[in-house]
Amino acid sequence: MSRFTFHVSSYSLQNTVSFGIDAHLTGASMSLLVTGSIGLDTLETPAGKREQVIGGSAIYFSYAASFFAPVRLVGVVGEDHPKTLFSVFQGREVDSSGIEIRKGSKTFRWHGSYLADLNNAETVEVDLNVLAERAPKIPQNFLDSKYVFLANTHPVLQQEMLASLKSPKLVVADSMNLWIQTQRPELCKLLSKVHGFVLNDGEARLLTEERNLIKAAQQVLKMGPKFVVIKKGEHGCLLVSERGAFVLPAYPTDQVIDPTGAGDSFAGGMMGYLATQGGITSAATLKRALAYGTVVASYTIADFSLDGLKHADRDQIDDRWHDLKTAMSF
Amino acid sequence: MSRFTFHVSSYSLQNTVSFGIDAHLTGASMSLLVTGSIGLDTLETPAGKREQVIGGSAIYFSYAASFFAPVRLVGVVGEDHPKTLFSVFQGREVDSSGIEIRKGSKTFRWHGSYLADLNNAETVEVDLNVLAERAPKIPQNFLDSKYVFLANTHPVLQQEMLASLKSPKLVVADSMNLWIQTQRPELCKLLSKVHGFVLNDGEARLLTEERNLIKAAQQVLKMGPKFVVIKKGEHGCLLVSERGAFVLPAYPTDQVIDPTGAGDSFAGGMMGYLATQGGITSAATLKRALAYGTVVASYTIADFSLDGLKHADRDQIDDRWHDLKTAMSF
């Protein structure tokens, strides 16, 4: 009987964990570019309701990543953008000069409910508004970004934005059901150009028609990425690369107030940490990055909108990361 | 913001992992008693169909536990019991003298299908037969058993069997939806008498009406057990005791042929290992036990009926356990 083999890097964990932002890695050399959505969310969960609070993949990602590395945020909103938009990152190293305020357009709005299932949002209403128009332009001074996260949007736009960058070292993309179903050829083209791909379990099964997530991830690897991360919500995440598989449960918590943004915060924590590691994607580095993503997401879900992340700091994140590391060992 | 605290034993892992059966722990001192079902299963999975193969909780549990400790099996079958019943444990330390062949009765039969969902069996047909009658009697020479697993049956019968034992050191029980719904007071009485309780995620939510599994487990702890293990199928398991929570993903495998018996094999591996540890239920010991359960279950699901377990040996199990330990560390 053949058995599944783990290939674990011999890379020493003890001496290489880098906390804080290394002094020699600043500016463009560590800058993490994210392109994604910015929106106004109305959220209903068993814990209550919030109306028109700030949300969107790029917002959660940027806040989460900023615990690790300076972030360059590219996105587009309408004239009706939330007043808090430019104060939300106060005190954080997030360069929001890449946010375009488009005249005559309206901001993306999403109304989601977790009343039936805290693990799966039901979309009550969605108004794409400005997201249904052309993509925002990446500012000239962001084009030298080395680390790039292409949050979910039309795969043609993702490719265009990627093509405009000068010399990215590590590019990771996200997607969604809609593009898998309607833009498969373009999504496959995008996959051939990225280093990593992040998707959830349902999307992995939809993309590959394979129920077993390890087999599904292995199929995605054949489309181009060097590593695939499958997010399983409360069940944690799975990393598959040519070097093997790594599974990580979600941080065990009884504080789940609002799961919105958990996946984007996970990606932010993961990419933020990878940006501090000079683009190394060894098995050991990726595992630590996934654990950081997991921990950051545990703060996001503990309150509505960005309130959970706002109550976290890097020391707490590191403490919780070490708690998880200890709790996972046996 | 309060954060979930892990309490991790300082118990050293390196020097205390006990492989194989310790010479001084033999006979009654390490014997593991299991009472549970024995049946004839008809199984349909995407990989094929098997008709009237051996199954039942006590069968899977016993085979799995016998990699670690001698097992005493108590169960009841009808006159039509499978011919392979007494040869199935050939070469294994399973004392099957506690199997009653009841005259005039028929063996339990179950027909399950995983065609719609490999993670959830759909019961096509079930004939309780002899299981709907009185419980089997525990043989005199089994009454000194120290380690006891009360697999799923009517909680009154579980209590009766437990009461007949002389001085059990570690008692763990399982249950099912049916008894939670119809025999809650008796199930609660049982819970006040056991050290550990094993249940799946759906049962935990049904029992406590709490969706968050950590909160659910904490409520079960209040009913009596010192530790609660919640099985989440392909998503692994969760251990909660007064000392904190431990989460363990399932062994990552792309070999899933037949999930039948995974939960019972998990319990068998866990209890078998605990029996070798003299009943210690420290956080560190329980974590290692859960990892053994996880690994043994990964063999079960790799083939139909007991065929997966039959192709495993203790060395392979230990290798896979170490693979899991290494893969989990970051």
Side-chain angles (χ1 to χ4, degrees):
Chain A
M1 175 184 289
S2 77
R3 64 193 183 78
F4 194 88
T5 308
F6 290 105
H7 302 269
V8 178
S9 167
S10 59
Y11 197 75
S12 163
L13 302 184
Q14 301 312 317
N15 304 318
T16 55
V17 177
S18 166
F19 295 126
I21 296 173
D22 294 349
H24 66 284
L25 291 169
T26 50
S29 69
M30 201 167 68
S31 264
L32 172 55
L33 176 74
V34 57
T35 68
S37 64
I38 301 168
L40 282 165
D41 290 347
T42 294
L43 307 164
E44 290 179 272
T45 89
K49 184 173 180 177
R50 294 291 182 280
E51 297 194 52
Q52 303 207 28
V53 291
I54 190 136
S57 60
I59 295 293
Y60 282 106
F61 182 98
S62 296
Y63 208 107
S66 72
F67 290 108
F68 304 87
V71 179
R72 295 165 165 184
L73 168 53
V74 173
V76 57
V77 292
E79 290 182 287
D80 60 340
H81 66 82
K83 291 191 182 60
T84 55
L85 178 56
F86 292 92
S87 63
V88 80
F89 295 116
Q90 207 162 22
R92 316 288 326 163
E93 278 200 89
V94 176
D95 184 342
S96 52
S97 64
I99 299 180
E100 177 190 345
I101 301 171
R102 193 169 293 168
K103 292 247 163 97
S105 293
K106 290 184 87 174
T107 301
F108 167 59
R109 277 155 210 261
W110 180 70
H111 178 175
S113 169
Y114 300 88
L115 294 177
D117 182 354
L118 197 54
N119 209 30
N120 286 300
E122 182 199 338
T123 295
V124 178
E125 202 176 347
V126 62
D127 297 307
L128 285 176
N129 294 330
V130 72
L131 291 194
E133 305 170 10
R134 68 186 184 281
K137 202 171 152 57
I138 300 176
Q140 278 293 328
N141 61 325
F142 284 7
L143 295 181
D144 60 353
S145 301
K146 296 294 175 216
Y147 307 98
V148 181
F149 187 73
L150 302 167
N152 163 42
T153 187
H154 194 298
V156 168
L157 299 183
Q158 288 175 305
Q159 289 176 76
E160 283 175 10
M161 288 190 280
L162 178 55
S164 69
L165 299 174
K166 287 177 190 162
S167 54
K169 261 176 107 164
L170 178 66
V171 180
V172 178
D174 196 351
S175 193
M176 73 177 289
N177 288 0
L178 177 64
W179 313 125
I180 296 171
Q181 285 165 325
T182 66
Q183 300 292 331
R184 187 179 288 259
E186 290 299 337
L187 182 59
C188 289
K189 272 194 222 169
L190 172 72
L191 287 177
S192 72
K193 297 169 186 169
V194 300
H195 303 97
F197 190 48
V198 174
L199 70 177
N200 70 33
D201 45 3
E203 291 159 359
R205 289 178 177 132
L206 185 65
L207 179 59
T208 62
E209 293 177 356
E210 172 57 57
R211 197 193 179 283
N212 181 288
L213 291 177
I214 293 181
K215 285 186 187 169
Q218 286 165 341
Q219 285 200 31
V220 179
L221 285 183
K222 288 183 193 153
M223 301 177 192
K226 298 290 177 213
F227 64 91
V228 174
V229 178
I230 298 182
K231 299 173 289 181
K232 302 190 292 172
E234 67 171 329
H235 300 301
C237 61
L238 170 70
L239 164 72
V240 179
S241 72
E242 61 181 8
R243 306 173 70 183
F246 171 54
V247 277
L248 188 72
Y251 187 83
T253 180
D254 54 6
Q255 286 189 296
V256 185
I257 298 299
D258 172 20
T260 309
D264 302 310
S265 303
F266 169 86
M270 178 187 87
M271 287 297 290
Y273 177 73
L274 289 176
T276 67
Q277 300 302 300
I280 292 171
T281 53
S282 69
T285 306
L286 284 172
K287 283 158 73 166
R288 292 198 298 271
L290 262 65
Y292 271 115
T294 294
V295 164
V296 174
S298 75
Y299 285 98
T300 300
I301 65 178
D303 209 339
F304 281 98
S305 185
L306 289 174
D307 291 353
L309 284 178
K310 283 182 182 168
H311 283 91
D313 62 36
R314 180 61 194 263
D315 284 346
Q316 287 177 319
I317 289 169
D318 285 340
D319 284 352
R320 202 174 267 196
W321 188 89
H322 281 285
D323 284 347
L324 182 63
K325 178 176 165 62
T326 308
M328 294 269 299
S329 66
F330 60 84
Chain B
M1 174 184 290
S2 76
R3 67 189 179 82
F4 193 88
T5 308
F6 289 103
H7 302 270
V8 177
S9 166
S10 59
Y11 197 74
S12 162
L13 303 184
Q14 302 312 319
N15 305 317
T16 55
V17 177
S18 167
F19 295 125
I21 296 172
D22 294 350
H24 66 285
L25 291 168
T26 51
S29 68
M30 201 167 69
S31 263
L32 172 55
L33 177 73
V34 57
T35 69
S37 64
I38 301 169
L40 283 165
D41 290 348
T42 294
L43 307 164
E44 290 178 272
T45 89
K49 185 173 180 177
R50 294 292 183 280
E51 297 194 50
Q52 304 208 25
V53 291
I54 191 135
S57 62
I59 296 292
Y60 281 105
F61 181 97
S62 297
Y63 208 107
S66 72
F67 289 108
F68 303 87
V71 180
R72 294 164 166 183
L73 168 54
V74 172
V76 57
V77 292
E79 289 182 287
D80 60 340
H81 66 81
K83 290 188 181 64
T84 55
L85 177 57
F86 292 93
S87 62
V88 80
F89 295 116
Q90 207 162 20
R92 316 288 327 162
E93 279 200 89
V94 176
D95 185 342
S96 53
S97 64
I99 300 180
E100 178 190 344
I101 301 171
R102 193 168 293 167
K103 292 247 163 97
S105 293
K106 290 185 90 176
T107 301
F108 167 60
R109 277 155 212 260
W110 180 69
H111 179 174
S113 169
Y114 300 89
L115 294 178
D117 182 353
L118 197 54
N119 209 29
N120 286 299
E122 182 200 339
T123 294
V124 179
E125 202 176 348
V126 62
D127 298 307
L128 285 177
N129 294 330
V130 72
L131 291 194
E133 305 170 10
R134 68 186 184 281
K137 200 171 152 59
I138 300 175
Q140 278 295 327
N141 61 322
F142 284 7
L143 295 179
D144 61 354
S145 300
K146 297 295 175 215
Y147 307 98
V148 182
F149 187 74
L150 302 167
N152 162 43
T153 187
H154 194 299
V156 168
L157 299 184
Q158 288 176 305
Q159 289 177 76
E160 283 176 11
M161 287 189 281
L162 178 55
S164 69
L165 298 174
K166 288 177 188 162
S167 53
K169 261 177 108 164
L170 177 66
V171 180
V172 178
D174 196 351
S175 193
M176 73 177 288
N177 288 0
L178 178 66
W179 313 125
I180 295 172
Q181 285 165 324
T182 66
Q183 301 291 329
R184 187 179 286 261
E186 290 299 336
L187 181 60
C188 288
K189 272 195 221 167
L190 173 72
L191 286 178
S192 71
K193 296 169 186 168
V194 299
H195 303 97
F197 190 48
V198 175
L199 70 177
N200 68 35
D201 45 2
E203 291 159 0
R205 289 177 176 135
L206 185 66
L207 179 59
T208 62
E209 292 176 357
E210 173 56 59
R211 198 194 178 280
N212 182 287
L213 291 177
I214 292 182
K215 285 187 185 166
Q218 285 165 342
Q219 285 199 30
V220 178
L221 284 183
K222 288 183 191 153
M223 300 177 190
K226 298 288 176 215
F227 65 91
V228 174
V229 178
I230 298 182
K231 298 173 289 181
K232 303 190 290 172
E234 66 171 330
H235 300 301
C237 61
L238 171 69
L239 164 72
V240 179
S241 72
E242 61 181 9
R243 306 174 71 184
F246 170 55
V247 277
L248 188 70
Y251 187 84
T253 179
D254 55 7
Q255 287 188 296
V256 185
I257 298 297
D258 171 21
T260 309
D264 303 310
S265 303
F266 169 86
M270 178 187 86
M271 287 296 290
Y273 177 74
L274 289 175
T276 68
Q277 301 302 302
I280 293 171
T281 54
S282 69
T285 307
L286 283 172
K287 282 159 73 168
R288 292 198 299 269
L290 261 67
Y292 271 115
T294 294
V295 164
V296 173
S298 76
Y299 285 98
T300 299
I301 64 177
D303 209 340
F304 282 99
S305 186
L306 290 173
D307 291 353
L309 285 178
K310 282 182 182 167
H311 283 92
D313 63 37
R314 181 61 193 266
D315 285 345
Q316 288 178 316
I317 289 169
D318 286 340
D319 284 351
R320 202 173 268 197
W321 188 91
H322 281 284
D323 284 347
L324 183 62
K325 178 176 164 62
T326 308
M328 295 270 299
S329 66
F330 59 83

